[in-house]
Amino acid sequence: MKTTIFDLQHSLFLVFLSVLKILLVEHRMDSADGKLYRFCEPAANKGIKEFITYKDMSQFILNTWLLHTDAWHIAESAVTDPFKSRLPSTLQSPIHSLVANFKSKKNTNAFCDFLDAKFNHQIVCDYEDDGYFGEHAANYFELRNLLDTRNTDDYSNTGFQLFCSSINHGENIYIIQDADVFSIKRLDNPQDAIDSYAAHIFSGQDGEFDFKPYMVDF
């Protein structure tokens, strides 16, 4: 099989990601209080832990290249749209912010009923309704965006949208295609999928990355 420049760029980028993964920064749950901390192990910071408040982002994401470089924070601050990013992001907007017409009464009921049945939990449908929060929060779950392959100013029914779930502390990643709530699947092998997606973008390959091989029903 002929090796192209894109194949070489893709391979080099995956090597770069592997190098980032060995940096001595770790995010893990503290068993004493159940909170998520960033642990820094270099000599100057040995033993120091810093409390962070990522909303239901899976631990395997936090321990990869995603948050091993401050460049992502710089990139996020330069994004024109405050609700979504083509790169894995800590912005984590709720699903209704990314799907056109989600908030219309007809669609909200249909989407929420579908997601309630799919996850066997009740999803937060209205972020202005206090009944979903406070002492009642444990009765509901959220889907918050990890990345959106559309351009930051594009809300058309295209691309792939990835979400973290508040169920099981976000350990599973879910994905919809073309902003279609009813197409939701679980993302299989999400770390490989996201690394390959990033390599596709940064190596300048043509066309959209295809997440479909990683999409499995649940």
Side-chain angles (χ1 to χ4, degrees), residues 16-27 39-42 62-70:
F16 169 69
L17 297 184
S18 298
V19 171
L20 283 180
K21 290 175 186 178
I22 69 173
L23 295 181
L24 297 179
V25 179
E26 181 184 2
H27 299 77
F39 284 77
C40 301
E41 297 298 344
L62 294 174
N63 285 331
T64 64
W65 55 275
L66 169 59
L67 294 178
H68 281 174
T69 170
D70 287 337

Side-chain angles (χ1 to χ4, degrees), residues 176-192:
I176 62 176
Q177 185 176 2
D178 300 334
D180 178 8
V181 173
F182 298 118
S183 72
I184 195 164
K185 305 286 185 184
R186 182 173 58 82
L187 190 67
D188 189 36
N189 198 358
Q191 186 167 327
D192 178 66

Side-chain angles (χ1 to χ4, degrees), residues 155-172:
Y155 284 83
S156 63
N157 295 330
T158 58
F160 295 92
Q161 295 77 41
L162 278 62
F163 298 90
C164 297
S165 166
S166 59
I167 300 172
N168 297 324
H169 302 292
E171 285 307 303
N172 287 325

Side-chain angles (χ1 to χ4, degrees), residues 2-45:
K2 183 179 179 181
T3 300
T4 68
I5 185 64
F6 290 126
D7 293 327
L8 293 174
Q9 288 175 325
H10 182 276
S11 298
L12 287 172
F13 188 77
L14 290 179
V15 170
F16 169 69
L17 297 184
S18 298
V19 171
L20 283 180
K21 290 175 186 178
I22 69 173
L23 295 181
L24 297 179
V25 179
E26 181 184 2
H27 299 77
R28 65 179 183 265
M29 203 73 71
D30 188 311
S31 59
D33 61 15
K35 293 181 179 179
L36 189 63
Y37 289 88
R38 185 203 317 268
F39 284 77
C40 301
E41 297 298 344
N45 297 306

Side-chain angles (χ1 to χ4, degrees), residues 4-208:
T4 68
I5 185 64
F6 290 126
D7 293 327
L8 293 174
Q9 288 175 325
H10 182 276
S11 298
L12 287 172
F13 188 77
L14 290 179
V15 170
F16 169 69
L17 297 184
S18 298
V19 171
L20 283 180
K21 290 175 186 178
I22 69 173
L23 295 181
L24 297 179
V25 179
E26 181 184 2
H27 299 77
R28 65 179 183 265
M29 203 73 71
D30 188 311
S31 59
D33 61 15
K35 293 181 179 179
L36 189 63
Y37 289 88
R38 185 203 317 268
F39 284 77
C40 301
E41 297 298 344
N45 297 306
K46 193 170 182 61
I48 294 177
K49 64 180 184 179
E50 172 190 358
F51 178 58
I52 54 176
T53 56
Y54 299 117
K55 181 76 172 177
D56 299 315
M57 185 174 285
S58 60
Q59 195 165 332
F60 84 85
I61 289 286
L62 294 174
N63 285 331
T64 64
W65 55 275
L66 169 59
L67 294 178
H68 281 174
T69 170
D70 287 337
W72 294 117
H73 300 289
I74 296 170
E76 285 178 9
S77 66
V79 169
T80 55
D81 191 312
F83 299 110
K84 67 191 185 79
S85 171
R86 292 188 70 201
L87 301 173
S89 171
T90 57
L91 295 172
Q92 291 194 286
S93 296
I95 188 171
H96 74 257
S97 299
L98 280 80
V99 177
N101 298 319
F102 191 108
K103 296 181 182 179
S104 71
K105 186 173 182 180
K106 178 182 177 181
N107 287 340
T108 295
N109 291 338
F111 292 153
C112 289
D113 288 347
F114 170 77
L115 293 171
D116 290 351
K118 192 72 173 173
F119 286 86
N120 198 29
H121 285 74
Q122 286 185 283
I123 192 167
V124 175
C125 288
D126 185 354
Y127 282 81
E128 296 180 1
D129 185 343
D130 292 338
Y132 287 106
F133 304 101
E135 62 182 17
H136 305 293
N139 299 327
Y140 303 96
F141 83 102
E142 299 180 84
L143 288 171
R144 288 185 171 267
N145 185 237
L146 178 64
L147 69 87
D148 186 337
T149 65
R150 299 173 295 186
N151 290 331
T152 56
D153 59 350
D154 183 0
Y155 284 83
S156 63
N157 295 330
T158 58
F160 295 92
Q161 295 77 41
L162 278 62
F163 298 90
C164 297
S165 166
S166 59
I167 300 172
N168 297 324
H169 302 292
E171 285 307 303
N172 287 325
I173 304 297
Y174 297 93
I175 181 170
I176 62 176
Q177 185 176 2
D178 300 334
D180 178 8
V181 173
F182 298 118
S183 72
I184 195 164
K185 305 286 185 184
R186 182 173 58 82
L187 190 67
D188 189 36
N189 198 358
Q191 186 167 327
D192 178 66
I194 293 170
D195 280 356
S196 296
Y197 165 72
H200 178 90
I201 289 179
F202 291 119
S203 61
Q205 296 185 49
D206 293 331
E208 182 175 52

